[in-house]
Amino acid sequence: NAGVTQTPKFQVLKTGQSMTLQCAQDMNHEYMSWYRQDPGMGLRLIHYSVGAGITDQGEVPNGYNVSRSTTEDFPLRLLSAAPSQTSVYFCASSYATGYSYEQYFGPGTRLTVT
Amino acid sequence: QQPVQSPQAVILREGEDAVINCSSSKALYSVHWYRQKHGEAPVFLMILLKGGEQKGHEKISASFNEKKQQSSLYLTASQLSYSGTYFCGGDTGRRALTFGSGTRLQVQP
């Protein structure tokens, strides 16, 4: 199993540009989430999904869209990049038995917006 | 609102013990603990469920006081490999986590 994969690993955008961060998992996990981590800070939840076709907002959803058309993929779209979105973005997935689960994180995408 | 972690940073000598605390203002179904090394993704350590069940790392233990919505992570006989930033994450029922701001742990020889 490849686990959770994220592409690209690094990206530089200009203000106003849009792009999609890709996230895929091959573990048949129901639950997937996107987090951002600013330098020296904790992880903040952007959006999450409890299954294909179902997504919801986390704590910091503004400026981001998600969709979940398949179990495997959970792309994150930046609509119009701003310098405040410079961060490391982590995707995570899990399979829960009730509320017992372990989140598996991808390696992250380092995004710089100039 | 994010869980509050304390201390923000701690320096230990190998073999010493440490406790990291996490407090939530919201009722949690579970508390998760992760460790992150510099430049890497967070790695799961432990989950504590409402009702007392817990699963995780062999050499690291934790507790969850449901009445106070407080969790503590106990690192005993610390090793150099324990160095990193520790995060607690709370699940309010979404099966997604709200993380604390982290505790930076440095273990010195």
Side-chain angles (χ1 to χ4, degrees), chain A residues 35 37 59 98 101 103, chain B residues 34 36 55 91 94-95 97:
Chain A
Y35 298 90
Q37 185 174 34
E59 278 78 48
Y101 59 91
Q103 282 199 335
Chain B
Y34 286 77
Q36 185 180 33
K55 298 179 183 177
D91 186 349
R94 299 182 295 186
R95 296 184 181 83
L97 299 175

Side-chain angles (χ1 to χ4, degrees), chain B residues 16-75:
Chain B
E16 291 181 339
D17 302 339
V19 180
I20 300 172
N21 300 303
C22 175
S23 180
S24 173
S25 59
K26 294 185 177 181
L28 301 176
Y29 282 77
S30 60
V31 176
H32 299 231
W33 287 94
Y34 286 77
R35 178 171 59 211
Q36 185 180 33
K37 295 191 180 276
H38 183 70
E40 298 181 5
V43 174
F44 173 80
L45 293 176
M46 171 132 344
I47 178 173
L48 301 108
L49 295 158
K50 207 166 91 165
E53 183 182 352
Q54 57 178 273
K55 298 179 183 177
H57 204 279
E58 289 178 0
K59 296 187 179 180
I60 296 173
S61 61
S63 64
F64 178 33
N65 184 323
E66 291 175 43
K67 282 188 179 178
K68 295 184 177 180
Q69 294 300 310
Q70 292 175 348
S71 179
S72 294
L73 185 71
Y74 306 98
L75 304 168

Side-chain angles (χ1 to χ4, degrees), chain A residues 31 33 35 37 40-45 48 50 57-59 90 96 98-103 105-107 110, chain B residues 2 29-30 32 34 36 39-42 44 47 49 53 55 87 91 93-102 104:
Chain A
Y31 307 109
S33 303
Y35 298 90
Q37 185 174 34
M41 304 286 287
L43 299 110
R44 291 185 290 170
L45 181 66
Y48 63 100
V50 297
Q57 297 181 349
E59 278 78 48
F90 289 103
Y99 289 97
S100 177
Y101 59 91
E102 170 185 343
Q103 282 199 335
F105 283 83
R110 294 182 179 275
Chain B
Q2 287 182 291
Y29 282 77
S30 60
H32 299 231
Y34 286 77
Q36 185 180 33
E40 298 181 5
F44 173 80
I47 178 173
L49 295 158
E53 183 182 352
K55 298 179 183 177
F87 294 99
D91 186 349
R94 299 182 295 186
R95 296 184 181 83
L97 299 175
T98 301
F99 283 96
S101 55
R104 190 168 296 179

Side-chain angles (χ1 to χ4, degrees), chain A residues 6 15 30 38 41 59 72-73 78 81 100 108:
Chain A
Q6 291 184 238
T15 297
E30 301 169 72
D38 299 335
M41 304 286 287
E59 278 78 48
E72 294 78 20
D73 300 299
L78 278 71
S100 177

Side-chain angles (χ1 to χ4, degrees), chain A:
Chain A
N1 286 351
V4 181
T5 57
Q6 291 184 238
T7 56
K9 290 186 179 179
F10 302 93
Q11 183 70 47
V12 179
L13 289 179
K14 294 186 188 301
T15 297
Q17 287 184 319
S18 62
M19 79 160 294
T20 299
L21 307 186
Q22 301 292 343
C23 174
Q25 52 90 11
D26 61 358
M27 297 174 281
N28 201 32
H29 285 173
E30 301 169 72
Y31 307 109
M32 297 186 75
S33 303
W34 275 103
Y35 298 90
R36 60 174 288 175
Q37 185 174 34
D38 299 335
M41 304 286 287
L43 299 110
R44 291 185 290 170
L45 181 66
I46 305 172
H47 286 283
Y48 63 100
S49 169
V50 297
I54 307 170
T55 64
D56 208 343
Q57 297 181 349
E59 278 78 48
V60 288
N62 291 343
Y64 307 95
N65 273 355
V66 291
S67 60
R68 182 106 180 262
S69 54
T70 67
T71 300
E72 294 78 20
D73 300 299
F74 191 40
L76 178 72
R77 279 182 288 278
L78 278 71
L79 308 173
S80 176
S84 60
Q85 293 179 305
T86 293
S87 192
V88 179
Y89 291 83
F90 289 103
C91 177
S93 74
S94 60
Y95 177 80
T97 302
Y99 289 97
S100 177
Y101 59 91
E102 170 185 343
Q103 282 199 335
Y104 293 83
F105 283 83
T109 294
R110 294 182 179 275
L111 176 69
T112 302
V113 183
T114 61

